[in-house]
Amino acid sequence: MKQLKLKAFYPHLFAIILLILIGFIYFYPTLQGKVVNQSDVSSFVGAAKETIDYRAANNGEEPLWTNSMFSGMPTTMISTYYKGNYLENIYEFLFVGPRPAADSILGFISFYFAMLAFGVNPW
C-alpha cells in the first residue's frame, strides 16, 4: 500500500487557508458588527413580528396564520419553523461564521475544488 505523503496536501491546505483569509479580510467590516440597512430585512422584521411574538408567548407553538399582512395570510413564507427540516443542520454546518463572509468562503472553496476536478494545477 502506498504511503500517504503529507507534502502532497500542502498546496491544498495553503489554498484553503488563503481563501478563508481573503473572505474574512474582504468582509472585515461585518466582523466589526457593521451592517448595511436593507429594506427587505426591515420589511421582514415588520411582517414577522406578530408571528415571532406569538411563538414567544406560547412556548414555541408555531402559528400558521397572521393577521398583520393583507388582512390575514399564512405564515409559511414569512417565518415558520419546520420540525422535520434536517437540511437546516447541513446549512448551519456549511455556513460557519458571519454572513456574507461564510457564503463567499464556501463559494471560493467550492470553486477551488471544481478547478481541481477540471485538472488545474493547485499552484
Side-chain angles (χ1 to χ4, degrees):
M1 186 173 176
K2 256 185 166 177
Q3 280 191 346
L4 197 58
K5 294 184 180 181
L6 192 58
K7 288 185 180 181
F9 289 108
Y10 285 154
H12 307 297
L13 185 64
F14 175 75
I16 289 174
I17 290 173
L18 180 67
L19 292 172
I20 291 171
L21 283 174
I22 289 171
F24 281 127
I25 289 170
Y26 186 76
F27 291 103
Y28 182 69
T30 61
L31 299 176
Q32 295 175 328
K34 295 180 181 176
V35 294
V36 177
N37 290 328
Q38 302 169 23
S39 63
D40 58 340
V41 173
S42 56
S43 296
F44 163 76
V45 171
K49 180 167 180 13
E50 182 183 19
T51 305
I52 294 169
D53 291 345
Y54 181 88
R55 193 180 297 129
N58 294 305
N59 297 324
E61 182 182 344
E62 202 58 42
L64 300 176
W65 189 265
T66 180
N67 292 321
S68 64
M69 292 187 62
F70 307 114
S71 299
M73 69 177 286
T75 61
T76 54
M77 298 302 290
I78 301 169
S79 174
T80 301
Y81 294 123
Y82 298 100
K83 294 179 183 176
N85 186 3
Y86 298 112
L87 291 177
E88 188 71 28
N89 298 331
I90 296 170
Y91 182 84
E92 290 174 6
F93 174 75
L94 288 176
F95 293 97
V96 176
R99 293 182 76 182
D103 300 337
S104 297
I105 291 169
L106 183 65
F108 294 158
I109 293 173
S110 299
F111 180 75
Y112 177 73
F113 285 134
M115 290 294 103
L116 289 177
F118 291 138
V120 176
N121 186 349
W123 289 111

